Amino acid sequence: VYQFCSRACSDDYKKLHCIVTYCEYCQEEKTLHETVNFSGIKRPFCSEGCKLLYKQDFARRLGLRCVTCNYCSQLCKKGATKELDGVVRDFCSEECCKKFQDWYYKASNSEFLTRAPQLKKPKMHM
């Protein structure tokens, strides 16, 4: 797995190394733009447009009941919902909900500890 500094760098690498795939939406063999998880299945797309059109069709097939999981980021049917600090979050499963909660509270606690004011000894004036 490679990591790139920008989308342009990634696109140049794909073109240079002829990384092509069949686009899930247009069904043509083209340079890979992005791979996205839909209900646990990785789907390749040649462009942002094809990805968005596929997402619309996918939502229509599910009856507009699909969400993007706040933990694993895949598009799927809503499996669980949780309200944390006044924000309603959607998840694909109870497992992702639990993992997100664990991460969220761990991050909240560490942020609180780093932002907490340092207690200082009072200065004694004579």
Side-chain angles (χ1 to χ4, degrees):
V1 174
Y2 295 100
Q3 292 184 348
F4 299 96
C5 60
S6 67
R7 170 73 69 183
C9 191
S10 173
D11 291 342
D12 288 345
Y13 178 85
K14 291 172 193 173
K15 288 175 186 168
L16 181 66
H17 295 291
C18 299
I19 298 177
V20 294
T21 188
Y22 281 100
C23 176
E24 192 70 33
Y25 184 75
C26 70
Q27 298 296 308
E28 293 182 23
E29 189 175 44
K30 294 184 179 178
T31 301
L32 177 66
H33 169 69
E34 186 175 1
T35 302
V36 180
N37 276 333
F38 283 90
S39 292
I41 300 169
K42 289 185 178 184
R43 311 247 183 218
F45 297 97
C46 66
S47 67
E48 193 68 24
C50 279
K51 181 179 84 170
L52 292 174
L53 290 169
Y54 184 87
K55 188 176 180 177
Q56 285 177 345
D57 287 351
F58 187 81
R60 198 173 302 118
R61 286 194 307 270
L62 289 178
L64 301 175
R65 293 182 308 265
C66 63
V67 297
T68 301
C69 178
N70 281 131
Y71 184 74
C72 69
S73 300
Q74 74 173 332
L75 190 67
C76 53
K77 284 186 177 181
K78 186 188 310 185
T81 302
K82 183 75 175 176
E83 185 176 334
L84 298 165
D85 292 334
V87 178
V88 177
R89 312 239 183 212
D90 296 316
F91 302 95
C92 62
S93 66
E94 288 292 334
E95 181 183 351
C96 276
C97 182
K98 171 87 172 90
K99 287 179 181 179
F100 183 86
Q101 261 183 280
D102 293 345
W103 169 85
Y104 185 82
Y105 288 122
K106 190 181 292 182
S108 295
N109 287 337
S110 67
E111 183 178 313
F112 173 76
L113 292 174
T114 59
R115 288 188 179 194
Q118 297 295 321
L119 297 175
K120 295 181 181 177
K121 251 186 180 175
K123 291 183 180 178
M124 304 273 290
H125 295 285
M126 290 191 193

